[in-house]
Amino acid sequence: MPLGLGRRKKAPPLVENEEAEPGRGGLGVGEPGPLGGAGAPQMGLPPPPPALRPRLIFHTQLAHGSPTGRIEGFTNVKELYGKIAEAFQLPAAEVMFCTLNTHKVDMDKLLGGQIGLEDFIFAHIKGQRKEVEVFKSEEALGLTITDNGAGYAFIKRIKEGSVIDHIQLISVGDMIEAINGQSLLGCRHYEVARLLKELPRGRTFTLKLTEPRKAFDMISQRSGGGHPGSGSSSQLGTGRGTLRLRSRGPATVEDLPSAFEEKAIEKVDDLLESYMGIRDTELAATMVELGKDKRNPDELAEALDEQLGDFAFPDEFVFDVWGAIGDAKVGRY
């Protein structure tokens, strides 16, 4: 059966060539946000009992400076943030996102769905709040959005020369709290991207942002985002194995991704940005896992419909994902 025939009709891409990133952020499927309604991904299985969770200990610090803490006994991102908050006696809602092995706001080192067993976790907490008016002079604002897997969407990349690039108050790592007074807390990256895309051209809108608290050596520094094709997935998981955080089911300890898996995940993540304006290494990894043993694009389409149907991937995107996985298998990088 040709690709697309027999599949339920999908909506067109939420955004084209811009505006949202998974998660890692995008660390899997979360609760429906305020904008999600019936179309938002649903919650998965309940967390496993503590006795079944991996007994691994990780070291962590607050990115702006703190003593070193020890955390263990978590199986997903929300629990991870909760453990960090407990270690430093903070409300869990203060944790915005985490980076691995650097205290800087480095989007190439953003904690995604996997943590190397020897990785050091730096937690970035809420800092200064700000409100910025933006005149949308072009359809594309030049933003790439991701989320932290626990209800916060933030800026992962700012395209050079874009509308947003000319506004120095807006930086990579800023959490988007609201657009024109509409709260985005609890929303996924693709929902925020859709809102930004739908804002009318030629009008001014207001962004309410919260920047991560900065260390002394980061003051007045406008951090750069990750760059397409930078191979961010290969820079994470520096330990001898990785802890794979899952939105459905328990975390698992796995070997480091193979060269094929790393390249396939990177290429699929690039496709997510191109078609939907998002980057999400965990979502990309899930798609590679679903597709690596499929015999043709139709089998991949059926698997994506079953596991990730709420994302409404267009047929041409699924075909390109199939091609990217196939290219990585045979070493065409």
Side-chain angles (χ1 to χ4, degrees):
M1 181 185 296
L3 179 66
L5 298 181
R7 298 179 69 204
R8 67 178 186 273
K9 184 64 177 177
K10 293 294 185 184
L14 295 173
V15 286
E16 295 182 0
N17 300 323
E18 141 147 335
E19 262 64 71
E21 259 199 57
R24 14 326 47 255
L27 283 153
V29 180
E31 295 183 11
L35 304 176
Q42 300 300 310
M43 290 295 290
L45 299 174
L52 297 181
R53 302 179 188 183
R55 301 299 297 175
L56 302 172
I57 297 175
F58 294 87
H59 293 88
T60 182
Q61 288 182 357
L62 300 180
H64 65 277
S66 76
T68 298
R70 290 157 56 94
I71 56 174
E72 61 177 310
F74 57 89
T75 191
N76 57 48
V77 174
K78 287 186 177 180
E79 291 183 3
L80 167 62
Y81 292 168
K83 294 293 184 179
I84 291 173
E86 288 178 13
F88 297 107
Q89 298 182 340
L90 295 169
E94 287 295 299
V95 182
M96 292 176 59
F97 57 86
C98 296
T99 50
L100 299 178
N101 307 313
T102 179
H103 71 284
K104 297 182 179 180
V105 181
D106 184 344
M107 293 294 106
D108 284 340
K109 302 296 180 67
L110 189 67
L111 186 151
Q114 298 188 30
I115 307 173
L117 299 185
E118 297 178 355
D119 281 343
F120 198 104
I121 302 172
F122 288 89
H124 299 255
I125 67 172
K126 292 180 180 179
Q128 181 178 347
R129 301 177 74 181
K130 51 195 177 183
E131 195 166 288
V132 185
E133 289 192 346
V134 180
F135 179 71
K136 191 175 182 181
S137 58
E138 302 176 15
E139 287 295 334
L141 291 169
L143 285 178
T144 298
I145 309 300
T146 191
D147 62 42
N148 69 351
Y152 294 161
F154 58 93
I155 298 170
K156 187 169 185 180
R157 181 178 301 147
I158 298 174
K159 185 178 180 181
E160 186 176 356
S162 64
V163 172
I164 298 297
D165 189 42
H166 291 99
I167 304 175
Q168 291 300 307
L169 282 176
I170 302 177
S171 300
V172 168
D174 286 353
M175 181 179 74
I176 304 177
E177 285 195 28
I179 298 176
N180 288 335
Q182 181 177 0
S183 175
L184 301 179
L185 300 181
C187 292
R188 294 301 311 277
H189 42 45
Y190 66 89
E191 296 177 290
V192 176
R194 180 175 57 198
L195 271 182
L196 291 168
K197 183 69 174 179
E198 292 175 349
L199 290 169
R201 183 177 179 179
R203 295 187 184 180
T204 299
F205 65 94
T206 301
L207 284 175
K208 187 176 181 180
L209 307 168
T210 298
E211 65 183 37
R213 186 172 175 181
K214 294 179 173 63
F216 181 77
D217 65 346
M218 297 164 64
I219 300 297
S220 300
Q221 172 184 327
R222 191 183 192 192
S223 301
H227 301 284
S230 62
S232 59
S233 61
S234 64
Q235 299 177 28
L236 304 183
T238 58
R240 291 164 295 186
T242 63
L243 178 67
R244 176 83 179 271
L245 303 178
R246 300 177 184 274
S247 59
R248 301 180 180 183
T252 55
V253 177
E254 301 178 355
D255 293 333
L256 290 172
S258 65
F260 148 67
E261 289 170 328
E262 285 188 352
K263 183 52 64 174
I265 290 168
E266 179 185 332
K267 290 169 75 71
V268 172
D269 205 15
D270 288 343
L271 288 171
L272 284 168
E273 182 169 28
S274 176
Y275 276 89
M276 301 180 67
I278 65 176
R279 294 190 73 85
D280 188 332
T281 54
E282 175 62 14
L283 177 60
T286 299
M287 297 175 73
V288 171
E289 188 174 318
L290 290 172
K292 64 184 180 182
D293 296 325
K294 298 299 181 287
R295 295 172 296 181
N296 55 59
D298 292 302
E299 289 188 3
L300 173 61
E302 291 175 4
L304 293 177
D305 279 350
E306 181 178 350
Q307 298 293 326
L308 301 168
D310 291 316
F311 284 91
F313 298 123
D315 286 346
E316 58 270 26
F317 169 77
V318 175
F319 190 83
D320 284 349
V321 168
W322 168 257
I325 294 173
D327 287 346
K329 278 183 178 180
V330 298
R332 287 198 296 265
Y333 299 155

